[in-house]
Every structure is written in C-alpha cells, then in structure tokens.
Amino acid sequence: MLVAVALLFAYRFWMSSLSQIYRGIILTLRGLLLAVMLLLLFDPQIVWTHNILRPPRIGVFLDNSLSMSHHPSASAATVFSQVTTVVDWANKNGYEPVIMTFGESVTPRENLRFTYNPDERLTSFNPLAEVWQKSDLAAGFLFSDGVATSGRDPSAVAGAPGFPIFTVGVGDTTTGLDLSIADLRYPLSLLDQQPGSIVVTVRASNTNGRRSRLLIFQEDQLIYSEPIRIGSRDFVKDFEAPVVGRLDGPRFRVELMVLPEESNIDNNRRDFQIDVLPGQRQITLLTGALSPNSALLGSWLEETMHARVDRLTYLRGRWRGDDARFWSSRQHLVVLDNYPTSRLPEGHVERLLAKLQRERTPILVVVGPDNANRQFVRLMRSLGVRIRSAMDSLGVSHQLRPAAQRVGSGARRLNPERPGTKLPPVPLVHLLLDQGNRSLTAILEDDDGNRVISYGQVGSTKLGLLLVPNLSATHLKLSHASMGGYLEGIWKAIVEWSLEPEGFSQYVVQPDRRQYHLGEKVLLRGIVRDRAGIKTPQPFLTLEIDGPGGAATVALNYDFEDGEYKGDFWPAESGTYRLLADQPEGRGSATVRSTFHVQAGRVELETLIQNRYALERLAQATGGHYVHLQALEGTLSQLDFSAKATTRAVHYSIWQFSYLWVVPVILLGLEWILRRVAGLI
C-alpha cells in the first residue's frame, strides 16, 4: 500500500509539472486506451435486422428411367435443349434454378451435362416425394414420359407438394395403349399340398372399354383364368388366384392377353418359382428287437414335424406293424433300431438293402445291444460305412466294441449348425474309422479327432449314424434332463438333415422376374428358414451374385411387416446371373436355387408411348398444367413468380474487425510523441 500510495503521489506530482494542454491530451489518450482494452475484454455485439428479397427457386427434374432414352421423336439432345431453355428463362427473370435428375435416388446437377447412368435407372417415382414435400420451391418442371420400368407413374407419389408442377411430356402420344402387370405377390415357399395364393395387380392406361384376360399357368398347365373388363381410362385392379404347392410343379407363369396396338408388351408376362418342400413325410422305425432305445426313439419320432411314423418290430418270430405298406410305399426316412439281430428271417437284410438302394432312401442307424455281431458289421459295410470293430480270439467273428471315453472329455463342434456340447463321461458311443468314411461329416468328435456322431451322403444315399449301445449296461437313465437333451439334439440334427428334399437350401431368394434388359433394376425378395420350414429373421442377408461381370455383393434388409428380405441389384452386363448366399457362422457360401437372365437390347421400347394422362393428373393435382415438349417456350412466357420477402438478423462482434490491434498501437504512439515533444523522454 505504501508503494502504491508513493507511486500515486509521484504520478500526480509529475502530472502537475506538465502544462495544462499536455496534461489533458495525455489523460485523453490513456482513457481511450483503457476503453479499448475494456471492449476487447467484454466483447460487446451489435445486432440489427433488415428485410431482404429472396429470388424464387425453380425446380427442374429430369426423368432418368430406361424408357426416356428410347423415344425416337424426343432424343436426349432434344430433352436437354428444352431443359436449357427453362434454365435460361429462370436466369433471365432473376429466378434460381435447381436442377436434379432422379432414378434410384435424386441427384443434384450443377451443370447440364446429363447422362443416362445404368445405376440410376428409374423404377419408382417415389424418390421425388421427399424433395417435393421439404423444398421451398416456387414451381417445378418435370421432364418425363410418365412410364417407369416397374409400371408406376408420377401420380403414384404420396402427397401433393405445396407448389405447382408443370409436367413436360416426352415421347409420342398418338395411341398410348398400355396393359401391364404392375405388381405380383406370391409365397416364396410352400409345403407340399399346402394352399397359398397369388395376387396380380393389373394396370391399364388409355384402354377404356377394352377387354383382356388374366392367365396363370403352373408347369404350363392353366390353373386360373379370369376376364378383365377395363371400365376407366386409368385402370388398376388386384386379382387373387389360389395355388397348391406341388413338388412336381414349382414353376409358374402369369400372362395378360395383349391388346391390339399395345406398347410395353414385355410387361404382360412374369415367370417365377415357388420353393416346395415335402409335406407329409413317411418315416418307418424298423426295430430288430426291443431295447432300452426303442421307446425313446419312438417318442422322438412322433415329435417330428410333417411326418407320418410307422413302427415295425420283430417280436416272437413275427413282425408287428404294417409290413405290407412298408414294402409297397416309398419311404422318406428309415430308422434302423437294434437292427439286424441274429433272429431275423433269412434274406430279410438283403431285401431291405435292395429297397433302400433302389429308392435312395435316407437311413438313420441306431445300434443296440443285440446287433453287435458280424451281420451288423456286414450291413454297415454294405451301406459304405466302416466302424471300429475287433476280432475274437479265433479270428472268425467281429464284435463291435464301445470306445472308452475319458471322464469329462470335451466334444469339438465340427458342424456349426449344431450347438456345442459335452460328450457323456461314460462309454456311450462307438467311434467311426476315418478310413472309408470320408463322405461323412462329423456332428461331434472327441479330443483325439475321432468321429463320434456323423451324417453324410454315401454314394447317392443319405446316411446318419447315432451309435448308442445297450443303455442298461451304462446304468444311465435317459430321462435325466442333461442326457436326454444331449441325445435329443443329436437325434433331431440327423433326422432333419435326412428329411431335407433334393436341392434344399436354407435360403429362398428370388428376383421379381426371370428376364431383364440391361439397365433395369433386379428386385430381390428372400426368406431364411430353418429345417422345419420356419423363417428365422436376421438383420440382413448378404448375397453374392455371380455373373458375366464377376461377383458382386448385395445386402438384403429384413422387413418386419412383410416378414421378408428385400433388396435390389443393377446388372452391369448381359448374361445369366446366379445367386450365392453366405451361410451363417462361417460355413462359406451355398448356392441359392435362383438365376435370372439379362438381355442386351430392348427392341419393344423403341415404340414406347408417353403416359400423358398420368402426367396431366399430376399437374392438375398440384395447380400446374401439362405441356408437350415442343410447346414449352410458349408456356414459359406466360409464367411470372415474385420474390419472397424475408427478415434476416445480422450479428456483429468487435472481434470481427481484423485490424483492431492498430487502435491501441496508435494511442500508445501518440502518447510517446507528446512526451517526446514535452521533453519527458
């Protein structure tokens, strides 16, 4: 305090020694310097509002559908020249043009270098809906022929925009007859003899008073026919036809009778396929002699979905069950339980082998306490399987020996379809020799790599092995939850695999039709099902499409409302394409039974007719009007749009001045000059 007081007195004494004029100027300069420092410290802001006029924004939307490049009377150069006319008119009148092309998505353009890109081919006018509803446009000009490759037109856009749309028609309008299949809905998968339905949406333009007919074929056999009476200029109607899943008839064809002078006749036919699974399957449990396994196998078989189970048991010298039906009917699965035994009739095993090999019937072998003999080993060898066996001391007979398992030994999962588990801590299972069993895939194997439970295709016959010895010798009760679940999981894995039809795929993925032209988008639908035919939803399904241009990857997103996967693909080259689906849990890729073909040219589009009525309806709904491409200049001369007045708030801060630092430098410099003149320096 003393120092501060001393400095203050010294400063006051120094100031009193100055003349009056110098004293006032120096105090003024230092006051200004202090004020500048305070302004820099608190950063004051200046805010004021003013009115501005915003020029009208004019939207220019150019249809990039496949048909737009096939109008001989309106080439791409003609369309672009008229777009340029609209842009020049907007610039001349002080408007702001907003230029966009739309196809798969709406793409802004900053110049008039338009190109018809294959990855932007139009299949729906819906991308315009969001732009129209959120834009602050004064008006819009839509250059289009009103025809999208999916059969939709601009009037299908939900919701009218808040500004007028002037539709500029492209293409010939002399006739305009068009009858097409706008949409087709059908089940991707059915069980054999299960009923379903096919829904066909028929769309017609400028065909009032005409008649046609809808025809649906199943394997070239007519299953549905209904006349179509068109009673309006813009006709849309759904037709529903019943269908029954048949293993011998998975292919379908929907046709519309072509009208005279009709355009787009390629849209009058659709080919598709429904994946059909066997419905009521026939299973026979063939028991050579009753054992502790028999009751358990019977109860599990009854729980098998879509199956009729018969039981044949050799008891007291005769077969119990419908023996005649077994030999006369085709079997979808035969389960050999404790079979064969030494008490079976002579020649029975040979007759059974002949039936199985003749009909290529899937087989599931369950070993029991009474078939550990030479006849069982011979049966297994006849089926193409080698099991671990040992010869007796005389070297004349084979005895099947249980393989000793270490207590608590872990089972390594080879087949990702089945959940991981632990092998029982008892000699419960027999082992398969690797030699001669390379066609079998292990569900479980032990720590030494020996196959324990296996399935596979031996020759042309599906074969499953569930080798369970005499349960009474193991002193185990299969009613115990953990043991029952262990065997039940393995049992169901082999049974479900054995019942899979030829060419079964976990994935059912199909394109919306089988034939396309280059530049068209392929719409893909798919489901993922388990082996009981139930769809298993996942977030998305990854497909690999193998075609002439190489492999491409497509992701199908799951639609929870429809219960299907949906996606699209743009073919880059003509040719045949094949679908590959990524298997879950790293199983690699498996072929999905779907292909489609892409043709290079599209001759019928050369005589494509403009859908003038759809364009007129859209213009009237928004307050605009329809104009032909060649009459555009006359319409532009009649249009006038005023600028919009808006209020804008302007904020200024003192820190926005880039040379503010010059002020304190000037003030300090002036004080130094004064002190120099006064002789204080």
Side-chain angles (χ1 to χ4, degrees):
M1 289 293 297
L2 293 176
V3 174
V5 171
L7 291 176
L8 182 60
F9 274 102
Y11 179 76
R12 185 173 182 180
F13 175 77
W14 173 74
M15 291 294 294
S16 62
S17 63
L18 296 176
S19 62
Q20 188 73 18
I21 185 172
Y22 287 113
R23 185 189 310 171
I25 295 175
I26 291 178
L27 288 176
T28 301
L29 292 177
R30 292 189 177 181
L32 291 174
L33 181 61
L34 181 60
V36 171
M37 294 304 173
L38 291 176
L39 289 176
L40 294 177
L41 179 63
F42 294 103
D43 187 23
Q45 293 187 353
I46 302 173
V47 181
W48 74 84
T49 59
H50 63 283
N51 296 328
I52 61 173
L53 292 178
R54 185 173 182 178
R57 301 177 76 235
I58 306 297
V60 180
F61 301 96
L62 179 61
D63 184 355
N64 198 25
S65 62
L66 179 67
S67 58
M68 285 288 288
S69 58
H70 288 79
H71 291 286
S73 61
S75 63
T78 304
V79 176
F80 296 157
S81 65
Q82 296 298 82
V83 173
T84 306
T85 301
V86 176
V87 174
D88 294 341
W89 165 80
N91 293 328
K92 180 180 179 181
N93 291 272
Y95 306 148
E96 180 183 349
V98 180
I99 309 170
M100 292 185 179
T101 60
F102 63 96
E104 174 62 14
S105 60
V106 180
T107 307
R109 300 288 184 179
E110 300 192 0
N111 51 46
L112 293 180
R113 296 178 181 177
F114 298 108
T115 56
Y116 288 110
N117 298 320
D119 59 343
E120 294 180 0
R121 295 302 190 193
L122 178 66
T123 56
S124 171
F125 283 85
N126 290 334
L128 289 178
E130 183 177 355
V131 176
W132 285 351
Q133 293 172 1
K134 295 183 178 180
S135 298
D136 56 346
L137 302 176
F141 290 85
L142 173 64
F143 290 80
S144 174
D145 59 0
V147 179
T149 55
S150 66
R152 298 179 181 178
D153 55 57
S155 62
V157 178
F163 56 89
I165 295 180
F166 299 92
T167 53
V168 183
V170 178
D172 191 8
T173 60
T174 54
T175 57
L177 293 177
D178 188 19
L179 179 66
S180 62
I181 300 174
D183 196 8
L184 183 62
R185 299 182 294 277
Y186 57 90
L188 297 182
S189 179
L190 283 176
L191 290 174
D192 187 24
Q193 304 306 316
Q194 178 184 358
S197 63
I198 299 173
V199 180
V200 184
T201 302
V202 178
R203 173 182 172 272
S205 298
N206 196 23
T207 53
N208 190 11
R210 300 296 186 96
R211 293 188 178 186
S212 181
R213 181 171 289 273
L214 173 65
L215 307 173
I216 300 180
F217 298 86
Q218 185 174 15
E219 296 292 339
D220 295 329
Q221 178 183 359
L222 183 65
I223 62 172
Y224 180 83
S225 176
E226 184 172 346
I228 302 175
R229 295 177 177 86
I230 304 172
S232 61
R233 176 180 292 177
D234 297 300
F235 175 84
V236 178
K237 185 176 180 180
D238 290 340
F239 297 87
E240 184 173 0
V243 63
V244 177
R246 285 176 20 209
L247 290 170
D248 61 339
R251 293 190 298 271
F252 293 84
R253 184 175 77 254
V254 179
E255 289 185 359
L256 295 175
M257 294 183 62
V258 179
L259 300 175
E261 302 178 354
E262 182 187 349
S263 63
N264 283 334
I265 59 176
D266 277 2
N267 292 333
N268 292 24
R269 171 171 173 164
R270 295 285 185 92
D271 296 319
F272 62 94
Q273 180 171 328
I274 297 178
D275 196 73
V276 183
L277 298 178
Q280 189 71 16
R281 303 176 176 94
Q282 182 65 41
I283 301 177
T284 297
L285 175 59
L286 193 60
T287 303
L290 293 176
S291 72
N293 306 337
S294 302
L296 183 64
L297 295 176
S299 63
W300 286 342
L301 275 175
E302 292 176 353
E303 297 177 1
T304 304
M305 297 183 62
H306 313 297
R308 174 179 177 177
V309 181
D310 289 339
R311 300 188 186 184
L312 288 179
T313 305
Y314 193 72
L315 189 61
R316 298 185 181 91
R318 60 185 296 267
W319 287 99
R320 301 290 180 89
D322 195 345
D323 186 31
R325 184 168 63 184
F326 170 73
W327 294 108
S328 61
S329 62
R330 183 179 181 86
Q331 303 292 316
H332 292 98
L333 176 65
V334 173
V335 182
L336 303 180
D337 169 37
N338 202 18
Y339 179 98
T341 63
S342 58
R343 296 184 295 274
L344 289 178
E346 184 177 355
H348 189 275
V349 178
E350 287 74 13
R351 184 184 178 190
L352 176 65
L353 278 173
K355 175 180 175 61
L356 297 177
Q357 293 174 357
R358 180 176 63 254
E359 299 178 355
R360 298 181 179 179
T361 305
I363 310 162
L364 176 62
V365 180
V366 182
V367 66
D370 300 315
N371 63 352
N373 50 44
R374 181 194 302 177
Q375 196 173 10
F376 174 75
V377 174
R378 183 164 58 88
L379 171 67
M380 298 291 286
R381 288 181 175 175
S382 300
L383 296 175
V385 178
R386 299 292 182 268
I387 59 177
R388 180 168 295 180
S389 59
M391 299 181 65
D392 61 6
S393 58
L394 299 178
V396 293
S397 63
H398 291 66
Q399 295 294 328
L400 192 65
R401 304 288 185 185
Q405 303 290 325
R406 296 192 301 273
V407 176
S409 65
R412 184 159 59 91
R413 182 179 63 178
L414 271 189
N415 181 7
E417 292 181 358
R418 308 312 308 167
T421 183
K422 291 287 186 180
L423 286 176
V426 292
L428 181 64
V429 293
H430 297 279
L431 299 182
L432 300 175
L433 297 175
D434 288 335
Q435 184 179 4
N437 294 317
R438 296 180 179 178
S439 58
L440 297 177
T441 301
I443 292 181
L444 293 177
E445 66 176 12
D446 63 10
D447 291 341
D448 297 329
N450 298 313
R451 296 174 183 175
V452 178
I453 305 296
S454 299
Y455 73 96
Q457 189 160 332
V458 181
S460 59
T461 302
K462 287 185 175 182
L463 190 67
L465 296 175
L466 180 60
L467 303 181
V468 183
N470 187 355
L471 299 179
S472 60
T474 63
H475 304 289
L476 290 176
K477 295 181 179 180
L478 290 183
S479 60
H480 190 273
S482 60
M483 186 58 61
Y486 163 76
L487 290 179
E488 183 178 2
I490 294 176
W491 160 263
K492 289 185 176 180
I494 298 180
V495 170
E496 290 175 354
W497 169 81
S498 301
L499 293 178
E500 288 178 358
E502 189 68 26
F504 177 90
S505 173
Q506 185 182 4
Y507 301 91
V508 180
V509 182
Q510 294 183 8
D512 59 334
R513 59 185 196 267
R514 302 293 178 183
Q515 193 74 29
Y516 299 87
H517 292 84
L518 195 62
E520 289 183 305
K521 180 172 65 174
V522 180
L523 301 177
L524 299 172
R525 298 168 55 213
I527 61 174
V528 177
R529 64 189 178 197
D530 64 12
R531 298 189 174 180
I534 303 174
K535 289 179 287 188
T536 305
Q538 301 175 11
F540 61 89
L541 175 62
T542 302
L543 285 181
E544 182 178 324
I545 302 181
D546 188 14
T553 302
V554 178
L556 275 63
N557 296 319
Y558 187 74
D559 189 335
F560 287 91
E561 293 184 1
D562 298 336
E564 294 181 352
Y565 290 87
K566 297 181 180 179
D568 49 64
F569 170 69
W570 293 101
E573 298 182 14
S574 59
T576 301
Y577 289 79
R578 182 166 53 99
L579 303 181
L580 299 174
D582 287 347
Q583 297 280 29
E585 303 186 30
R587 291 182 57 197
S589 296
T591 301
V592 178
R593 293 182 301 158
S594 290
T595 58
F596 58 90
H597 186 72
V598 179
Q599 293 182 352
R602 189 176 179 110
V603 178
E604 64 101 6
L605 279 181
E606 294 179 358
T607 58
L608 189 66
I609 305 302
Q610 178 191 153
N611 188 1
R612 174 175 177 174
Y613 305 103
L615 298 174
E616 289 180 345
R617 186 169 58 251
L618 174 62
Q620 293 173 0
T622 60
H625 61 265
Y626 167 85
V627 59
H628 193 268
L629 183 66
Q630 305 300 335
L632 180 60
E633 294 186 7
T635 301
L636 294 177
S637 61
Q638 302 175 6
L639 300 178
D640 184 22
F641 302 97
S642 58
K644 293 183 179 180
T646 59
T647 301
R648 175 178 298 178
V650 182
H651 297 259
Y652 286 101
S653 172
I654 195 172
W655 287 102
Q656 291 180 341
F657 297 100
S658 304
Y659 299 98
L660 188 62
W661 58 272
V662 177
V663 177
V665 172
I666 293 176
L667 293 175
L668 292 174
L670 291 175
E671 181 183 354
W672 183 85
I673 294 174
L674 287 174
R675 295 176 63 189
R676 183 76 173 177
V677 172
L680 299 177
I681 299 177

